Amino acid sequence: MKKKIAGGAFFALLIAMAGTFSAKAAMSGYWELSDDEKYWMYMYSGYEWAQDEWIEDQGKTYYLDSSGRMKTGWVANKDDKKKYYMGPDGAMCFNMFAPDGKYVGPNGWNLDQYDKYRKAVRSEIKKSAPGKSSGRNKNTAEDQSQQFFLLSDLNGDGYKDLIVMYGEQQAESLREIAVWIPEDGKFQLAAEFDKPEKGDYCTLYLDPEGDEVWMEMTEKSGEMNLFQMEYGSAVMENVWSFTMETDEAGNGRYYINGSEEDREVWELFMARAREQRGNQPLTGYQPATEDNIAAQADRVLGEGEIELWD
């Protein structure tokens, strides 16, 4: 005996968010189980089955295949070529992770570029670990156990870039800066570092306005280079270079961006360069555990982030 129920009454709403998907409003009818009781079907008045169509019923969107069976899981729309996720009740879902880990946006379709980004974050962190086949940063096993990471928008394009370090002190152990390039759908290395010599350090800063990122590389000799991240790119421009050398007589010679200056001028301009750089180091690094990576990379997107990936 077939079971039937008035349209939409038995369905629980999974996510209460209206999408912009265009679906045909269902005519008056009812849901009915197939003869084998495996599938729900929608029968219009007049004994006409809904077939190969999207319908909206009770404020929710469903898909009935060419056999009239309500589909669950991923469904490809032949019109817009996008994939939509239908929940266990058959209703289209919004702003969530499907059971296979793929992300469903506010319009119901899969945000494939966001999935690529999340996968790339994990891949890049893994590649930066010492001793991997990529040959990067072959340091000690102790370093590997102390891998830290930070996702932060470094170049102002809205996408969160990746910084990897080892140990708890950034000045001692910055390892990699990778910038997300949306056009290519992958990370691009902006900087990569060997394990520093004792007394050398490299630190990332936000400028006083909190808008631009600077990288300071200082050697134990006192020499310093300041790099600024270019807006919307993976390029770090060497804006300031403070170097020194000793002549044959043992006297120090000081250079600013290649031009020789008195030591007093050298020190004055170095102080001004650091004022331009700011005194706010980037913070928020977390141990690169799967839980921490998931918490940062696998986030339900906020309203302002959707357009980046849609």
Side-chain angles (χ1 to χ4, degrees), residues 73-188:
W74 289 105
V75 175
N77 186 333
K78 60 186 178 183
D79 294 325
D80 62 14
K81 311 302 181 185
K82 297 182 184 295
K83 292 175 63 178
Y84 295 81
Y85 186 75
M86 321 304 287
D89 64 356
M92 185 182 293
C93 297
F94 309 95
N95 275 351
M96 61 167 289
F97 291 96
D100 61 4
K102 294 181 179 179
Y103 192 76
V104 182
N107 294 319
W109 59 68
N110 171 230
L111 298 185
D112 180 62
Q113 291 302 309
Y114 186 43
D115 290 339
K116 288 181 179 179
Y117 170 81
R118 294 163 46 230
K119 183 178 179 180
V121 167
R122 288 174 167 81
S123 176
E124 197 65 30
I125 291 175
K126 184 177 180 180
K127 284 192 296 184
S128 71
K132 297 300 182 182
S133 58
S134 65
R136 294 187 188 176
N137 304 320
K138 290 185 177 180
N139 297 312
T140 65
E142 181 179 358
D143 286 333
Q144 183 175 356
S145 67
Q146 299 176 357
Q147 189 179 23
F148 287 70
F149 80 103
L150 173 65
L151 291 177
S152 179
D153 181 12
L154 302 178
N155 63 0
D157 65 357
Y159 296 93
K160 291 192 174 184
D161 308 304
L162 175 66
I163 309 162
V164 179
M165 58 176 281
Y166 296 100
E168 297 181 359
Q169 299 298 320
Q170 179 186 172
E172 299 176 358
S173 53
L174 192 63
R175 287 295 183 265
E176 174 184 320
I177 301 171
V179 173
W180 181 254
I181 307 298
E183 296 82 4
D184 299 334
K186 63 182 181 180
F187 282 104
Q188 179 178 325

Side-chain angles (χ1 to χ4, degrees), residues 287-307:
T289 63
E290 179 53 38
D291 286 346
N292 286 338
I293 295 172
Q296 295 297 312
D298 301 336
R299 298 177 301 103
V300 173
L301 297 174
E303 183 177 351
E305 299 175 286
I306 295 298
E307 62 183 19

Side-chain angles (χ1 to χ4, degrees), residues 198-266:
K198 186 175 181 180
D200 298 347
Y201 66 89
C202 179
T203 308
L204 294 176
Y205 291 87
L206 284 175
D207 72 354
E209 287 74 35
D211 297 326
E212 296 179 330
V213 172
W214 289 78
M215 179 175 71
E216 177 182 330
M217 299 181 69
T218 302
E219 298 182 12
K220 58 184 176 182
S221 64
E223 295 181 312
M224 181 182 76
N225 284 277
L226 279 176
F227 300 81
Q228 185 180 40
M229 177 67 74
E230 290 187 1
Y231 180 82
S233 80
V235 175
M236 301 198 79
E237 179 186 2
N238 192 181
V239 178
W240 290 104
S241 176
F242 298 88
T243 58
M244 65 178 72
E245 63 181 32
T246 303
D247 61 21
E248 294 180 356
N251 299 315
R253 304 180 67 177
Y254 300 88
Y255 300 86
I256 302 174
N257 292 346
S259 298
E260 186 172 2
E261 303 286 352
D262 292 337
R263 178 169 180 173
E264 290 77 11
V265 174
W266 190 79

